[in-house]
Amino acid sequence: MKKSDIAPFFATLQAANPEPRTELEYATPFELLAAVLLSAQATDASVNKATRKLYPVANTPQAILDMGLEGLESYIRTIGLYRTKARNLLATCRKLIDEHGGEVPHDRDALESLPGVGRKTANVVLNVAFGEKTMAVDTHIFRVANRTGLAPGKTPLAVEQALLRRIPAEYLLHAHHWLILHGRYVCVARKPRCWECAVAHWCDYRPKTPAPATRA
């Protein structure tokens, strides 16, 4: 994708969705952190289904610690890898209490030191909870960045760094959500829906996928 195409690409996404939001449900930075931790290799819908029952009962580090492993597992067992995630979430709660006064730190290194929290999760928390212009590269963003030519790269970190360099500053705050939603619903993995893509004009992907034939 040519540099001159990037601004109109994002201007179009912005016009369609001026204030994009994460599809994970949360009310506090801790609820967001816990939800993102639970969402690894799982759908946002499955996480929301579990946290709608969990958060009214326990939505702070101390309250979740008080549940214990079996208690926490009983609420999140419908989420993939729930046993590992339960252990990581409990360990994260303990570290938040011991080292951060029970609060989610506004610091990348501190976030990435939490059990089960990697660079992508830290970027989501920094962007969504604290309004930082970060780029959390998941499978959707990795695919869209490479397929469109927006920011080709062989690793998530390479794509993240290229996106941060290439996206104009005025679009950077919400770019993470625009790209995720575009990859989730339009530029899908198996057969991109090019025929209904609002930004196809600036996309390098060839050949464009035609619309399915309609039956007479």
Side-chain angles (χ1 to χ4, degrees), residues 38 50-59 64 67 72 75-76:
L38 294 173
T51 58
R52 283 172 197 155
K53 297 178 180 179
L54 171 64
Y55 288 163
V57 177
N59 69 339
I64 286 181
M67 300 182 80
L72 178 57
Y75 281 92
I76 67 169

Side-chain angles (χ1 to χ4, degrees), residues 90-153:
L90 286 170
T92 281
C93 290
R94 171 52 61 195
K95 193 162 185 175
L96 288 175
I97 291 170
D98 290 347
E99 299 181 14
H100 304 286
E103 300 295 325
V104 175
H106 185 175
D107 177 81
R108 175 184 298 283
D109 290 339
L111 285 168
E112 290 190 33
S113 75
L114 299 171
V117 176
R119 186 176 183 88
K120 183 183 75 172
T121 297
N123 277 332
V124 172
V125 173
L126 290 170
N127 178 258
V128 177
F130 300 119
E132 289 198 16
K133 295 179 178 180
T134 59
M135 185 61 59
V137 178
D138 68 349
T139 55
H140 297 300
I141 291 183
F142 187 82
R143 178 176 65 255
V144 171
N146 277 283
R147 181 183 278 165
T148 63
L150 173 62

Side-chain angles (χ1 to χ4, degrees), residues 143-190:
R143 178 176 65 255
V144 171
N146 277 283
R147 181 183 278 165
T148 63
L150 173 62
K154 293 183 178 180
T155 66
L157 180 58
V159 168
E160 175 188 336
Q161 293 171 337
L163 287 168
L164 292 174
R165 286 194 307 269
R166 301 201 79 203
I167 297 173
E170 62 266 32
Y171 300 115
L172 199 50
L173 179 62
H174 294 313
H176 158 248
H177 286 122
W178 286 321
L179 293 176
I180 282 180
L181 295 171
H182 190 65
R184 185 173 289 167
Y185 298 112
V186 180
C187 196
V188 296
R190 292 188 178 181

